[in-house]
Amino acid sequence: MGPRRPAPERPGAQEWLPRGRAASDVDALARAARECHGCELWADATQVVFSRGPERARLVLVGEQPGDREDREGEPFVGPAGRLLEEEIDAAGLSADDVYLTNAVKHFRFEERGKRRLHKSPDVAHVRACLPWLTAEVAAVAPRVVVAMGATAGRAVLGRPVRVTAERGRVLDVDDAPRVVLTTHPSALLRLRERAEREAAFAAFVDDLRLASDAAGVR
């Protein structure tokens, strides 16, 4: 038996992006994303989950990937973490009209346990493959600030590994791109057992949203 050949590189999403004026239209991007086979995640997911929110929002909030309920309904942040995020957005003095919600990876990655589908974090390769969608939609929305929720979102937005706990609490300037605020993902709060921990984490997330909204001139 000869040496094992390396697996062929995944094409990434670039070839599915619309061209011309459609490339700067969120609805056109969302329609085109339905056909994306830029990585293997499309094969097991129910559907692509793109975004929701106003196309001219000053704040873009980026999470990791859709979860089980998002995969079934086709809309981001409609599960438990999404409901918590809505509470945090409200506590920060913002409304749904102020924020555009999306994910770094547009298909649900999971592993099956009996009849359950359990979240499995996307690989760096999945983030890279899906990056053209995120880049295009941020360019289309043209926000003043992007809030990256969690390390996966931070890597996608900043193009490098991030340490959320070390880098949160300040506004990061990025060349030729909107400014960035790093924070935790709402799902991290759901895993905390102690009430005091949950309350502290909730308050810290709200503080990060207020920092971002002040930098974006929303409040």
Side-chain angles (χ1 to χ4, degrees), residues 26 50-54 57 59-61 98-102 137 141:
V26 170
F50 203 72
S51 66
R52 66 183 170 103
L59 285 174
V60 167
L61 274 57
D98 295 320
V99 298
Y100 174 96
L101 302 174
T102 190
E137 61 187 316
V141 177

Side-chain angles (χ1 to χ4, degrees), residues 125-194:
H126 300 130
V127 176
R128 289 174 179 163
C130 220
L131 186 59
W133 294 119
L134 181 61
T135 301
E137 61 187 316
V138 169
V141 177
R144 294 186 179 180
V145 176
V146 174
V147 179
M149 301 183 293
T152 298
R155 176 187 280 272
V157 171
L158 292 172
R160 59 172 175 80
V162 300
R163 294 176 58 203
V164 174
T165 54
E167 297 185 76
R168 72 185 302 184
R170 63 183 188 270
V171 181
L172 305 176
D173 291 314
V174 182
D175 292 339
D176 301 319
R179 304 169 84 189
V180 175
V181 170
L182 291 173
T183 190
T184 54
H185 195 282
S187 62
L189 192 152
L190 296 176
R191 295 191 290 270
L192 299 176
R193 296 184 179 181
E194 298 295 330

Side-chain angles (χ1 to χ4, degrees), residues 65-170:
Q65 67 169 3
D68 180 75
R69 184 169 173 183
E70 288 82 2
D71 172 74
R72 298 181 191 279
E73 297 189 18
E75 191 170 343
F77 297 100
V78 293
R83 291 193 296 272
L84 177 60
L85 179 58
E86 289 178 359
E87 294 178 22
E88 292 165 326
I89 288 172
D90 182 66
L94 301 169
S95 73
D97 293 333
D98 295 320
V99 298
Y100 174 96
L101 302 174
T102 190
N103 282 299
V105 174
K106 309 302 186 191
H107 286 105
F108 179 36
R109 191 186 191 203
F110 61 90
E111 57 183 3
E112 293 181 306
R113 296 273 184 88
K115 295 182 179 181
R116 299 176 64 197
R117 301 190 305 169
L118 301 182
H119 166 277
K120 187 175 182 180
S121 295
D123 291 338
V124 173
H126 300 130
V127 176
R128 289 174 179 163
C130 220
L131 186 59
W133 294 119
L134 181 61
T135 301
E137 61 187 316
V138 169
V141 177
R144 294 186 179 180
V145 176
V146 174
V147 179
M149 301 183 293
T152 298
R155 176 187 280 272
V157 171
L158 292 172
R160 59 172 175 80
V162 300
R163 294 176 58 203
V164 174
T165 54
E167 297 185 76
R168 72 185 302 184
R170 63 183 188 270

